[in-house]
Amino acid sequence: MRADLIVTVLLWSSAAFAAEAQAPAGPCDTYTASADAATACDAAIASAGDDRTKSMLLARRAYAKDVAKGAAAFREVLSDLDQALALDPVNIDARHERAFVYNGAGRWKEAEADLDFQIKMMPNEPSGYRERALSRFNLGNLQGAFEDRDAEVRIAPTATALLGRAHTEMWLGRFDAAEQDISAARKTTNGDATAASGAGRLSAELTLWRSISTQGAKACDTSKGRLDANNSFLIGDCTQRFLTATSPRDKAEALSARSLAWITGANDVVGFIEDSAIAVAFDPGNPNLRSNLGFAYLRLQRAGPAVQQFDAAIAVAPDYTNYAGRAQARFGLGDLDGAESDANASNAYQPNRIALTVLGDVAYVRTRKFDKAKEYWMQAYANGPPDAGLVRRLTAAGVPIPGAPQHEQPAPPTSDSSAGSP
């Protein structure tokens, strides 16, 4: 997943570090993200005359294939990149693309290793630092993420780079420096509406981080009971608790509390995802944090990374919630057998809406009929509260739902690659 980063299409060639190698002229001679380009690369790869040329072409086919999502596409893309690097270990295009794919899959350590190699070979190329900052950030290495963003700014001081550095400065509590970078970014947008909008959003976020109540960090003490997620100062108070916490576990608790303020009070999914992810980085053995992050990924239809989080959660806490979450994620990846198995395991602990909905979805995809699916969805409805998706399913199946628009016939669920790469 390319997240909110602008990743430059790489123009360098592995020939810069090895013997000159020219790709044959044709549709596979550039990096083009499309299914047609992937097909065009097949013949070129088959006729490649040397390892370095074949490596280059494999990297281009992987780039083209990366437009497709899902477990099968991920395996194909990674296979091409692995082959490319086996043939030419200094193919920096392939190295960067594999890191990009690893980052999208939540495999941060593997991505970081590939980017370490790229940066060693090309220390003046900003894209390596930009991508590694993402890896380091999600590993909880906030100082390392800042250092990479700082290096990117020194090499290419664009508005995007300045905003990236400001973001990492905020996480280190360097609010004045972040404000200066946001201001500098606004002056260097050069008419880039996306960058200008990003500066506005980050400035608003910084205001929330800085706004604290008279109690400050004490107002984010979860040991005293449930916090008011709609409290306008909770984001700032929990930020103070995070920055002053002396242990990784306390930092994780602060972020977990702040994540609820983002999603409930500020209606900000990005903040919710970030806090959930960094909380896991600080306290990786906590199954509740893993589960929270799994469901956060599902909100963004990133089923693959969600499966990883539920796997880790189930290893420690095999309860109905975690099995239900993994069932939903596996369905999104097209793994019907795995989704059905997990949904049944979840219901064995406790019948619940998510697992019953998944069983209905599996039944429909397998039969393309509503008969059995409708039974599961009705049970899910009885285990409420129902969400909009369940209402749409029942409406499509012809079940009247009070208050639902009966004239609409939404499409039934499908199991395909739309859930994102694993």
Side-chain angles (χ1 to χ4, degrees), residues 333-416:
L333 292 172
D335 179 6
L336 300 185
D337 290 342
E340 183 178 47
S341 175
D342 278 348
N344 283 325
S346 176
N347 281 322
Y349 281 98
Q350 178 179 318
N352 62 91
R353 176 178 53 80
I354 295 175
L356 288 165
T357 300
V358 170
L359 288 174
D361 292 352
V362 170
Y364 178 82
V365 169
R366 282 180 171 161
T367 66
R368 297 298 169 179
K369 295 180 180 180
F370 286 116
D371 299 348
K372 189 64 176 177
K374 182 167 59 175
E375 292 180 17
Y376 284 121
W377 294 335
M378 290 176 69
Q379 291 178 55
Y381 187 81
N383 275 269
D387 57 21
L390 181 55
V391 170
R392 285 195 297 269
R393 286 166 170 82
L394 288 168
T395 301
V399 178
I401 303 296
Q406 299 303 307
H407 63 279
E408 295 183 6
Q409 290 296 317
T414 60
S415 178
D416 53 28

Side-chain angles (χ1 to χ4, degrees), residues 59-104:
R60 288 174 180 166
R61 186 171 72 179
Y63 185 91
K65 285 180 178 179
D66 201 31
V67 295
K69 302 300 178 184
F74 173 80
R75 288 192 294 268
E76 288 183 14
V77 169
L78 195 56
S79 175
D80 276 357
L81 294 170
D82 287 344
Q83 290 181 63
L85 289 167
L87 292 168
D88 181 8
V90 293
N91 182 340
I92 304 302
D93 287 7
R95 187 76 62 175
H96 183 95
E97 181 66 12
R98 189 170 71 174
F100 173 82
V101 171
Y102 279 146
N103 268 342

